[in-house]
Amino acid sequence: MVSKPNRRTVLGATAGAVLTGALTAPASAASVTPSGHVTVDSPDGLLRFTVLVTDGSLRYRIVRRGRVLVAPSGLGLDLAGLPSLTGGLVVKSVERRTVDESWRPVWGPDALVRNHARECVLRTVQPTSGIRLDVIVRVFDDGVGFRYHLPAQPGLDTCTVTAERTEFALPPASLSWSLEAGTDWNADERHYRRAQLSDVRTAQTPLTLTTPDGQHIVLHEAALIDYPSMTLAADTTRPGTLTSELISLPDGTKARLSGEFSTPWRTLTIGDRPGDLAESHLTENLNEPCALADTSWISPGTYVGVWWELQRRHTTWTEGPRHGATTERVKQYIDLAREAGASHVLAEGWNTNAGGQWTDQDFLTPQPDLDLPEVLRYARANGIGFTAHNETRGFVDHYDQHLETIFARYAELGIHAVKTGYATKFLLGGVNRSHFDQEAVRHYQRVVDTAARHQIMVIAHEAIKPTGLARTHPNMMTSEGVAGMEQHNYMGRLGNPPEQATVLPFTRFMGGPADYTPGVLNVTWDPASLGTRVQTTSAAQLALYPIFFSPLQMLADTPENYHSHPGFAYLKDMPASWDETRFLDCVIGDYTVAARRKGDTWYLGAITDEYDRTLRVPLRFLGRGRYSAEIYSDAAETSWHDNPLPIDVRTRTVRSSTVLTLPLVAGGGTAIRFRPARS
């Protein structure tokens, strides 16, 4: 079944492609316990979310296996011109139900996802103002989600949120990984800080932490629709306590709401090991089922394109003698795509006025040396799709006004993928605003909705962080919001240190796919003598493919660099949507080992931080029988700083009982493809 939910008013009902299990109907209203507390347990009974009702205020507490993970923390909203909805509340009823379904994503790290949780809706009223406020809680085995809901009610047809008062009282001695909160266009494109939680003053989400007793938690949000992005600010009077801080509109208010409204879910994903976090589907499960009646045109896969050579200043975005996206050059990348088994080719700098000041761009007219009809003909003849680059450079009003025309023309031309960009600013409504405020969130959704009407997939750069919305809108394929490959280009040894790659699966990727653009195998290539380079070995770049998930995953290097490197063989026919994902041996910030399966073939990636280490990896995830393991590893002479290119390629036969020993050099990695051995 396919539903088309009202995204703002639905409480999160899980109508969808129900394959196993069912939803129970809402129970009749139940009374609050004499203690004034309402508890919701996870299906396995190990996790308990308790709403504490005391003197008209609501607080919550989270306990797992008897250990307090979140101490009593406040709940509530402030609305302009009304008493704060943090006090004076009376619980009128409690409704409960169980969610239990399985659904098949259009694409994803797993082919089948179980959505199993217990839900509770607390319906409260503030007698002094007459305002009704609901709190909806869902408790899964691997975490919790809760949100506020303002029902349709007299006198509240419109309202303005001036603050959200959600608190998270976490263990202050926890070790955390986070980004400092910000409103700039690149606030999400920085390096994750490792710090004791009590020392964190502000943070973007996701924020990840490990408690002193070894529990792992990710604090984030799900289903961010028509609402500002949530950041976190420390309560300086209570170490370890963070409060929600919404990105403001230009006038200082947080959000303007109309009619019945549900906020995004506030989420805490919880696990015993880092791999439990990376394997969780909690964020997607708190989003609505697919809203598209037809998804047959959505095609995950790898892509190549005119990009890294631009970053390295070998060619230019701008028109001229060194222009990169010429007819001949794009055809060379189409040939590369065919050879690699990639599905799309990207051409940055293809359109009129791309590059330079990026002003007065025409997203429909190619530059003089790009014959677009011929490029599209050649791409179609080779079974390759064309991805049009739409770098707005922050002139969002212009893009908004022409969006329908642009996408309609692309559909006519057979272009079914775009890469959008919003670098440097965000001029929307005549105002330069944050990329993360309510109006910016609305714009990003308009792009996705318009693209869907014209059967176009979206890769978004400098966009809002993902919050699982791709379950509902699966043409929103992937986004940036990460210090990706281009940071190596600009900052050299101050760019992405190897440690960052071991942090990202448990931080940024907890919200959804990232367009990190891995796969630069000639890591020292510096045609313009910039004095910078990629800060990994070549083998580590291969290992990122099983570790970093994106349904449109780039093979970022140039045709010449791929053809001269033995590691290119590993990338050929690389899947971008998977049947099964396992995060095996992982220590956040130190090393990560992950394995993904497509059909009967497994891919494994192992990476380390700035230190040499040797890992022992049991292959229990393999099926029965013998497998041929194609192993791509750093050679004996490989050195991250001094000699990062050598790679050793070998094949051996293994079984599920095999334990591999993987020696990893600092900044290095190992990539393996396991295929069933021929008898």
Side-chain angles (χ1 to χ4, degrees), residues 463-475:
I464 196 70
K465 65 195 177 189
T467 58
L469 276 167
R471 179 188 179 187
T472 312
H473 309 280
N475 66 308

Side-chain angles (χ1 to χ4, degrees), residues 453-476:
R453 288 199 302 274
H454 297 286
Q455 297 191 344
I456 291 174
M457 300 176 288
V458 178
I459 302 170
H461 276 232
E462 296 87 37
I464 196 70
K465 65 195 177 189
T467 58
L469 276 167
R471 179 188 179 187
T472 312
H473 309 280
N475 66 308
M476 179 59 249

Side-chain angles (χ1 to χ4, degrees), residues 83 198 325 382 421 469 639:
S198 58
N382 285 277
L469 276 167
S639 166

Side-chain angles (χ1 to χ4, degrees), residues 306 310 316-319 323-326 347-352 354-355 358 367 369-370 389:
V306 182
L310 301 172
T316 66
W317 285 272
T318 53
E319 181 181 352
H323 180 222
T326 65
E348 292 205 6
W350 71 277
N351 62 300
T352 299
W358 299 88
Q367 296 202 34
D369 55 3
L370 179 77
H389 188 219

Side-chain angles (χ1 to χ4, degrees), residues 93-105:
S93 66
V94 177
E95 298 177 4
R96 300 179 184 271
R97 68 169 187 158
T98 296
V99 177
D100 194 0
E101 64 166 1
S102 292
W103 56 282
R104 293 191 180 276

